[in-house]
Amino acid sequence: MRAYGIEFKEGPDGFGVYAAKDVEPLRRARVVMEIPIELMLNISKKLPWMFFPDIIPLGHPIFDIINSTDPETDWDLRLACLLLFAFDCKDNFWQLYSDFLPGTDECPSLLLATEEDLLELQDENLASTMRKQQLRALEFWEKNWHSGAPLKIKRLARDPEKFIWAVSMAQSRCINMQIRVGALTQDTNMLIPYADMLNHSFEPNCFFHWRFKDRMLEVMINAGQQIRKGEEMTVNYMSGQKNDMFMQRYGFSSPVNPWDVIQFSGNARIHLDSFLSVFNISGLPEEYCHNTGLLSKEGDAFVDGAVIAAARTLPTWSDGDLPPVPSIERKAVKELQEECQKMLAQFPTTSKKDLKILDSMPEATRTLDAAIKYRLHRKLLIEKVVRALEMYQERILF
C-alpha cells in the first residue's frame, strides 16, 4: 500500500484521512493512495462466486455457507463470512488490520443496537427494519454455526455477537465497484483496507478508481480541487439517499443531507423558481447546487444541504412565465410552516432537549449516540425548512 501527502488520524468519530500538505488545484485528478488487490477481500456480486484474491481452499465448508446465501440480497452475509475466514487464515493481512476495525462497543451500526437504542430513534419504520436485519443475521448464524458444524467453522464465530459484528463491518465498510482482472470484468463487493478509513461527505474531495493494469485501487483527489493542510479527505458513500438509509447501512446521519425528505400532506405550494432564486440555487432537481461564486446575497451563509433538500422536498408549482401572487404565496408559506410545526410537535422530545441529552451522556454507547443524533437531525431539518420559508417570504421580490 502506498500513500502520498496524507496522514491517518483518530478523532472523536473514529479514524479519518487528512491532507499532510497543501494541495493546489490541477486539471487532472491525482493519486493519494494505492492499494493492491492482494490486501483486499473481494467477492463477485453474481454467481459463480469469484474471490480476488482467492484465499478459500478447495472444499472448505465456508464456501458451502457462502453458496447457500441468496444471490440477490445476501451480499453482506457473504462478505462477513469472507472477513471471518480471513481472520482465521494463517498469515493473512486482515489478522493485522483487524486492530484498525472498531470493536462492538465502538461501532455505531444499528445491527449492534439494543431494543432500547432502537426506541430512541423515534422512527418506528427504521426501528422495525433494523429488528428484521438483526433477526436475519441471527438466524443465518444459528443455521450455519450449529452444534454439528465443523470446528473450522465454529471457531470463526463462536457466538452470534461476533457474526453480527462481522455483518456490520461488511455493510459499513464495503465498496461496490466494477473491477477488471486480466480479461475478466466483475461487479464486486470489496473490503479495502485504508480506503475504508475515508469518511463520508456530500461534497467529497476524493473518489475511487480501479487501475486494471496492475490490479490496484486508487484513491484520487478531484480535478480542480484545492485542499489545505489538515483538511479531511472524504468520499461520497451513497448518492441520492435519505438519512434513514445512511443509518441502516453505516450508523450515522447528517442534518445537511441534501437528499433528505419531508412528507407534506397539505395542498399548499410555493413558486419553485422564486424559491430557487431567493437562495441562489440553480440546476436541475437532481443536480441542485448553491451558486457561491456569484454575487452573494446577505444570508447566503444560511444555505447548506438542508436548504437544497428543502428545494427538492417542498411542494412547489411552476407554470411557464406566470409569476406568483404575493398574497397567495404568503398564505402557502404560512400553511407549510404550520404543517412543519405539527410534525415537530409529534416528536416526544424537542431538538433542544436532544442536545441536552447528548451533552449529559458523554459515555453513551455509539449506537445510542447515533440514534439520538438521527432523531435530532430530523428535527433540525424541519426547523431549517421553517426558517428557509421565513427568509423566502422576507426576501422575495415581486
Side-chain angles (χ1 to χ4, degrees), residues 238-290:
M238 291 192 295
S239 179
Q241 296 294 338
K242 299 187 296 181
N243 272 344
D244 58 351
M245 289 302 299
F246 279 96
M247 284 297 291
Q248 285 184 42
R249 179 83 179 266
Y250 302 103
F252 72 84
S253 58
S254 170
V256 293
N257 183 348
W259 297 99
D260 221 9
V261 171
I262 299 175
Q263 298 295 340
F264 290 92
S265 57
N267 297 319
R269 297 184 298 164
I270 59 173
H271 191 253
L272 174 61
D273 293 338
S274 298
F275 186 85
L276 297 179
S277 176
V278 161
F279 293 106
N280 212 8
I281 297 171
S282 65
L284 297 173
E286 298 300 311
E287 301 172 349
Y288 278 157
C289 64
H290 180 219

Side-chain angles (χ1 to χ4, degrees), residues 87-229:
F87 290 154
D88 190 61
C89 190
K90 185 179 179 181
D91 297 328
N92 189 278
F93 169 79
W94 283 83
Q95 292 175 330
L96 300 174
Y97 192 72
S98 62
D99 291 339
F100 290 90
L101 300 178
T104 53
D105 58 337
E106 302 170 314
C107 181
S109 172
L110 294 184
L111 281 174
L112 303 168
T114 63
E115 178 61 25
E116 291 75 16
D117 294 343
L118 295 180
L119 292 176
E120 293 294 342
L121 290 166
Q122 296 181 1
D123 183 340
E124 184 52 38
N125 290 333
L126 177 56
S128 177
T129 298
M130 295 315 303
R131 291 188 193 102
K132 292 176 182 177
Q133 288 200 22
Q134 289 174 339
L135 181 61
R136 165 177 167 263
L138 177 60
E139 290 178 342
F140 186 82
W141 179 85
E142 291 174 342
K143 175 184 175 182
N144 297 287
W145 272 262
H146 51 77
S147 58
L151 178 60
K152 61 175 67 176
I153 292 297
K154 282 185 179 180
R155 69 189 184 204
L156 300 184
R158 295 186 180 276
D159 52 68
E161 288 75 18
K162 185 172 183 180
F163 181 75
I164 295 175
W165 171 84
V167 176
S168 73
M169 290 297 101
Q171 289 189 2
S172 61
R173 293 176 174 260
C174 175
I175 297 171
N176 302 317
M177 285 191 70
Q178 186 177 83
I179 67 172
R180 177 178 163 188
V181 180
L184 183 65
T185 300
Q186 285 278 351
D187 290 316
T188 58
N189 301 122
M190 315 169 73
L191 289 177
I192 305 176
Y194 304 108
D196 61 5
M197 293 186 186
L198 289 156
N199 287 319
H200 167 80
S201 172
F202 294 106
E203 296 180 348
N205 48 31
C206 295
F207 66 96
F208 298 125
H209 174 258
W210 181 255
R211 197 169 73 201
F212 70 89
K213 63 179 181 180
D214 51 359
R215 304 189 301 179
M216 194 87 66
L217 180 107
E218 298 176 321
V219 178
M220 307 188 77
I221 298 176
N222 295 331
Q225 186 84 49
Q226 184 178 39
I227 303 175
R228 295 301 181 192
K229 180 179 179 180

Side-chain angles (χ1 to χ4, degrees), residues 338-350 379 382:
E338 289 176 350
E339 188 169 357
C340 286
Q341 294 297 346
K342 290 179 181 178
M343 295 178 192
L344 291 171
Q346 292 175 353
F347 288 102
T349 59
T350 65
K379 296 164 194 171
I382 298 173

